[in-house]
Amino acid sequence: MKTIHTPTRILVADDDCTMNLIMQAALQAYGYEVTVVEDGVAALAAFHAHPADIVLLDVEMPGLTGYEVCKKIRLMDSDVPVVLITGHDDEASIDRAYETGATDFIVKPVNWTLIRHRLRYILRAFRDAAQRREAETKVRRLAYFDALTGLPNRQSFAEHLTRELSRKKGKTTSVQRLAVLFLDLDSFKNINDSLGHGIGDLVLQWTSDRLRSGLHSSNTFSRPSYQTKEDVQPIPLARMGGDEFTILLPSIEETEDALVAAHRVRELIGRPFVVEGQALFVTASIGVAIYPDDASDADTLLMHAETAMYAAKDNGKNTCQYYSASLTKRAVARLAMESALRLALERDEFFLVYQPQIDVVHGTIQSVEALIRWQHPEKGLISPLDFIPLAEELGLILPIGAWVLKTACTDAMRWCALGLNPIRMAVNLSAIQFRNHHLQDDILAILAQTGMPASQLELEITESILMEDATSALSLMHSLRDHGMHIALDDFGTGYSSLQYIKQLPLSKLKIDRAFVRDLPASKADEAIIRAVVAMAKTLGIRVIAEGVETSEQYLALAHMGCDSIQGYFFSEPLSFEKMADFLTNPLVE
Ligand code: C2E
Ligand code: MG
Ligand code: MG
């Protein structure tokens, strides 16, 4: 915007010297800074040397006419107001003035009083337009670009994709394919949680830089045809939000090309980032959807690419996956399961069953394990293997876990009330429950409410508890043990923890996973492993229990190897509260 310190500069070009003199005197009197020239060529040179704020051109000049000069000035500056001064006020001359890009025209003889107001008006109307354009650009940036990475955003990508699609549909020649890649960083939450959001943001910025430069290097993608100049910067790449990015391959020959490109992108991300001298490895899962094979509109293509990305995650992450119609069916089923699971607790659809753990030496019931079941209103009985992972993902495992603890403790006390001997109750805890800071308080409150002594409660945990924050997991385990509870390590042998690790844990029981029991007594390898685990556990004073014992041969082999207890269908399947009460009364164990 102009300030009073920089007067408005006016360039006047007229071959009529008298006219020039009067014009200069009049305009200078109004405070303008005026440059006068006498032909079109001089006008262009003057404008080139010192662009003016407004240009007044006589139409009739030797050499270049006012129209021609106006056209050329427009090529240099599309915004500067150019006013043509003409002797003719016929429609054709006026039309011609506008066609050459003139802003306005003044008809000779010039009215010297009015010209001042006329120029002021023209100047203001343009200034206004410039401001409006600036504001529009700002709004556009906010609406179409992501602030953190500077990449186009979801809206921008969707619009660009729609344009590309309609361009393709308009073509009558052979159908050319287009691919959308939907990329999501794997375990990005862990980076945020363990290294902080600052590093998380950096990783997102580096990722976008890497993708941006990868997209422009010719060997990453076959055809950079999207690199055309448009009012919005070319958008082969966008950040959808969070750790999600999309890439558009506007022209691929074969469907396979998209997967090749997706794997290249995955490799691009897979190279380590260096944070404070340390290498940080980030991987990505990528879903691919293709026009016209999978969908013909932008929204559905994007949705399918996202569905495929989730399937890539399910396949073990750090991989790429095509969309297929069956994936949508799976997504729909999952969504239905999700909403049913959210309601299951309040609709009272969960119940517990109990499986006894038999002491090998004394033939007594050493404890019972509580196992959850879901009675789905339409699907019937659902295994915890099918809904616990979903409950963990949705955060529902916390209320469900609390319900299990409370119900199991209540039932243990109900058996006592029936005159049965107190029985140790083993309850499975998810790693997510274990990470919850309120876990210990919640358990203590449940024990107080139900009247169950802490020493009667055994918590079954898995090695995954140690994966993320072993130090705090360890101190929580010690604290629970100090309150009198017992801790059992479930599914032992399927995780990563070394025997060395086990020494540090305050365990009272180690549960050998069914995988090592299944092929007994034939498998010598399993036998060797079980013998080693039993020997180590004995030196640490930890009891060993074998899970999934189904046959007398397995039972005898395990007893022979020195296992302390046995759990499995050989003795009993998981039982209802009432059946378990009967079993506790008449254990049928010799
Ligand atoms: P787990 O804790 O290892 O439980 C043992 C699983 O083996 C149970 O499966 C049990 O029914 C099954 N089983 C017992 N004896 C035999 C046998 O002789 N042969 C075979 N083939 N299987 C046997 P279930 O009840 O389906 O539970 C599966 C898993 O779900 C459990 O494995 C546990 O990790 C989880 N789970 C169950 N209830 C809960 C719960 O209340 N909370 C949490 N967080 N997880 C639970
Ligand atoms: Mg268990
Ligand atoms: Mg187990």
Side-chain angles (χ1 to χ4, degrees):
M1 211 186 280
K2 287 275 146 225
T3 68
I4 43 170
H5 304 292
T6 50
T8 303
R9 284 193 313 269
I10 302 189
L11 172 64
V12 180
D14 199 320
D15 58 331
D16 180 339
C17 303
T18 323
M19 181 75 179
N20 274 350
L21 279 174
I22 302 172
M23 186 74 94
Q24 188 166 30
L27 295 177
Q28 274 173 349
Y30 296 135
Y32 292 116
E33 187 185 299
V34 187
T35 307
V36 221
V37 292
E38 286 171 14
D39 60 64
V41 177
L44 283 175
F47 188 82
H48 190 258
H50 295 288
D53 298 306
I54 187 164
V55 182
L56 305 184
L57 299 172
D58 182 23
V59 169
E60 317 275 353
M61 285 189 291
L64 292 173
T65 66
Y67 298 127
E68 287 163 329
V69 177
C70 177
K71 261 190 188 166
K72 288 191 189 315
I73 284 181
R74 275 286 164 262
L75 293 177
M76 289 188 258
D77 187 331
S78 56
D79 289 339
V80 65
V82 179
V83 180
L84 289 182
I85 304 169
T86 168
H88 319 279
D89 58 356
D90 58 296
E91 211 167 311
S93 316
I94 293 165
D95 281 348
R96 191 155 175 221
Y98 285 124
E99 272 160 27
T100 55
T103 314
D104 207 346
F105 65 95
I106 292 173
V107 184
K108 285 181 184 174
V110 175
N111 180 328
W112 300 110
T113 320
L114 281 184
I115 193 166
R116 173 192 179 194
H117 300 292
R118 186 76 176 264
L119 292 185
R120 232 186 23 202
Y121 173 79
I122 292 171
L123 272 168
R124 198 178 53 208
F126 270 82
R127 210 161 42 221
D128 288 354
Q131 278 169 357
R132 199 175 54 239
R133 253 200 311 281
E134 201 176 302
E136 275 169 9
T137 311
K138 236 187 202 159
V139 169
R140 202 178 168 77
R141 276 215 81 77
L142 286 176
Y144 284 89
F145 290 87
D146 166 55
L148 181 69
T149 61
L151 288 182
N153 63 11
R154 176 183 286 271
Q155 175 71 19
S156 180
F157 189 84
E159 286 182 16
H160 186 79
L161 180 57
T162 305
R163 279 201 297 275
E164 283 288 337
L165 287 172
S166 53
R167 203 172 300 174
K168 288 229 176 294
K169 287 174 199 165
K171 281 195 180 139
T172 47
T173 48
S174 69
V175 184
Q176 261 216 327
R177 294 190 157 84
L178 167 158
V180 173
L181 313 190
F182 200 110
L183 178 155
D184 186 289
L185 299 182
D186 297 325
S187 312
F188 181 68
K189 192 175 173 305
N190 285 354
I191 295 178
N192 266 339
D193 289 351
S194 49
L195 302 173
H197 287 264
I199 299 287
D201 283 354
L202 268 183
V203 168
L204 291 174
Q205 283 165 345
W206 288 333
T207 301
S208 53
D209 288 349
R210 218 176 253 191
L211 288 173
R212 217 179 336 227
S213 55
L215 280 165
H216 287 276
S217 81
S218 55
N219 59 357
T220 307
F221 297 101
S222 43
R223 226 191 56 139
S225 69
Y226 39 78
Q227 290 169 6
T228 50
K229 246 298 194 233
E230 285 190 54
D231 56 341
V232 187
Q233 114 186 23
I235 317 172
L237 165 68
R239 180 178 175 216
M240 291 280 116
D243 58 344
E244 295 172 342
F245 298 85
T246 44
I247 296 163
L248 178 64
L249 306 181
S251 277
I252 52 163
E253 295 288 328
E254 302 294 335
T255 321
E256 292 72 35
D257 297 348
L259 204 61
V260 171
H263 277 294
R264 290 210 187 115
V265 171
R266 197 180 52 77
E267 284 158 17
L268 211 64
I269 303 293
R271 292 177 206 152
F273 293 109
V274 180
V275 184
E276 290 159 6
Q278 301 258 2
L280 182 68
F281 289 88
V282 179
T283 61
S285 299
I286 304 176
V288 182
I290 296 193
Y291 165 84
D293 311 59
D294 298 327
S296 54
D297 67 287
D299 281 352
T300 318
L301 260 182
L302 266 170
M303 201 170 71
H304 286 348
E306 188 174 3
T307 304
M309 178 277 289
Y310 280 115
K313 294 246 179 217
D314 284 349
N315 288 347
K317 302 182 177 172
N318 191 19
T319 188
C320 309
Q321 164 87 45
Y322 277 121
Y323 170 75
S324 82
S326 61
L327 294 179
T328 299
K329 278 197 201 129
R330 251 167 56 188
V332 168
R334 194 191 127 99
L335 214 65
M337 181 89 151
E338 205 177 298
S339 29
L341 191 58
R342 288 186 192 281
L343 295 171
L345 206 53
E346 61 185 72
R347 290 188 178 168
D348 213 12
E349 290 168 358
F350 293 121
F351 65 95
L352 295 185
V353 286
Y354 298 97
Q355 190 175 35
Q357 302 179 343
I358 313 294
D359 184 300
V360 171
V361 178
H362 303 101
T364 50
I365 299 177
Q366 201 260 334
S367 45
V368 301
E369 178 177 7
L371 295 161
I372 192 169
R373 298 288 177 267
W374 178 17
Q375 185 67 46
H376 190 285
E378 288 124 36
K379 294 190 191 322
L381 205 59
I382 299 184
S383 153
L385 295 174
D386 292 329
F387 71 84
I388 294 283
L390 185 59
E392 288 179 332
E393 207 175 298
L394 300 174
L396 292 170
I397 193 66
L398 295 182
I400 293 175
W403 177 88
V404 171
L405 271 162
K406 186 158 181 199
T407 310
C409 294
T410 307
D411 283 355
M413 291 296 97
R414 281 167 70 204
W415 285 320
C416 286
L418 292 173
L420 295 164
N421 286 333
I423 184 87
R424 193 187 286 185
M425 175 62 76
V427 175
N428 292 286
L429 284 189
S430 141
I432 293 182
Q433 282 173 278
F434 211 79
R435 255 177 259 141
N436 175 17
H437 297 301
H438 301 292
L439 179 71
Q440 179 166 301
D441 290 345
D442 292 350
I443 296 178
L444 292 175
I446 287 170
L447 291 176
Q449 274 172 30
T450 57
M452 187 158 104
S455 60
Q456 222 176 301
L457 182 61
E458 185 163 272
L459 303 168
E460 291 200 6
I461 59 164
T462 58
E463 294 152 88
S464 59
I465 282 171
L466 302 166
M467 295 303 286
E468 277 189 21
D469 188 354
T471 319
S472 62
L474 209 63
S475 78
L476 177 56
M477 280 161 87
H478 278 281
S479 175
L480 293 166
R481 207 261 321 258
D482 292 347
H483 277 92
M485 289 164 236
H486 305 273
I487 295 173
L489 192 63
D490 206 352
D491 306 338
F492 182 70
T494 55
Y496 299 100
S497 56
S498 63
L499 296 179
Q500 200 60 24
Y501 225 143
I502 304 297
K503 286 186 193 165
Q504 304 173 35
L505 310 180
L507 297 179
S508 47
K509 197 186 274 179
L510 216 153
K511 299 188 78 177
I512 295 181
D513 193 73
R514 198 166 77 83
F516 300 96
V517 174
R518 200 173 36 217
D519 298 329
L520 288 181
S523 168
K524 294 296 159 210
D526 289 336
E527 185 182 326
I529 293 168
I530 296 173
R531 279 187 190 282
V533 171
V534 169
M536 175 214 54
K538 290 249 150 94
T539 62
L540 296 171
I542 301 172
R543 287 178 67 87
V544 177
I545 178 167
E547 297 188 86
V549 182
E550 296 181 351
T551 67
S552 59
E553 289 81 6
Q554 289 171 341
Y555 163 65
L556 288 172
L558 289 159
H560 189 67
M561 284 182 244
C563 276
D564 300 296
S565 323
I566 299 293
Q567 180 179 350
Y569 299 163
F570 175 59
F571 285 110
S572 171
E573 293 193 355
L575 303 171
S576 66
F577 172 82
E578 291 78 14
K579 289 223 171 97
M580 192 66 217
D582 292 344
F583 196 89
L584 288 169
T585 317
N586 305 299
L588 299 171
V589 182
E590 307 207 335

